[in-house]
Amino acid sequence: MKHVFLCGNPALDLACTLRARRTERFETLDVPDRLDAWYLESGIVDAVSPCQEADLVEAVAVREAIYALVTARLAGARYDDEALALVNETARKPPVAPQLAAEGRWVEASPAQALSTVARHAVELLSGPEVPLMKECANPECTKVFIDRSRGGRREWCGMESCGNKIKAAAYRARKKEAQSAGSV
């Protein structure tokens, strides 16, 4: 399984590894190997020591804390104290440390270092200038939150392939059906 990175920030991308939160939830981080793959595919690390079950449990807890903080921020609500404490505690741990190698930059890390780096991204995002650019996908079934860096800030969908095309096609079919119904009267 390849992970999807549409959100514009590693913390948001991690938060979106649990898909369709309001309907039929789909967990993409169900085994430690998938967490390893997520860290690699996200670009946070070039190599990660293998995740164990405890690393997966911790990452899912941090993911849920990040999601709680992000949705609170979007709603203009107060942060959950436990979620805030967990993200801050995780961010205080040592992050990944890039090294210079003959081939260029190389990042090898433990799962704890990779997760700390993601938590730091969450701290920077939620306290930085991109807060007004955060949006939830306009697809009612999708719960992805993304950074809208589009010209004019008009982006509605987490991605055209995943949500935009589905919604636009459904709207087209509804309009066509309505036009046919109106024409047969």
Side-chain angles (χ1 to χ4, degrees), residues 80-103:
D80 176 79
D81 291 336
E82 288 181 32
L84 189 60
L86 180 57
V87 169
N88 283 332
E89 176 186 323
T90 305
R92 278 193 290 274
K93 294 177 183 174
V96 300
Q99 303 293 308
L100 184 60
E103 303 80 30

Side-chain angles (χ1 to χ4, degrees), residues 35 39 93 105 131:
L35 180 58
Y39 286 140
K93 294 177 183 174
R105 184 179 187 267
V131 168

Side-chain angles (χ1 to χ4, degrees), residues 106-147:
W106 180 257
V107 179
E108 190 170 343
S110 69
Q113 290 170 309
L115 188 58
S116 173
T117 300
V118 174
R120 287 168 182 241
H121 279 283
V123 169
E124 292 301 321
L125 172 65
L126 292 168
S127 64
E130 291 187 316
V131 168
L133 304 179
M134 288 192 314
K135 290 183 179 177
E136 186 175 68
C137 182
N139 178 351
E141 295 177 12
C142 183
T143 55
K144 289 185 179 102
V145 177
F146 60 89
I147 306 290

Side-chain angles (χ1 to χ4, degrees), residues 146-167:
F146 60 89
I147 306 290
D148 180 5
R149 295 186 181 103
S150 67
R151 182 180 218 156
R154 291 189 164 126
R155 182 175 162 193
E156 295 181 64
W157 322 107
C158 61
M160 281 306 293
E161 301 79 27
S162 55
C163 287
N165 288 341
K166 289 178 192 173
I167 299 298

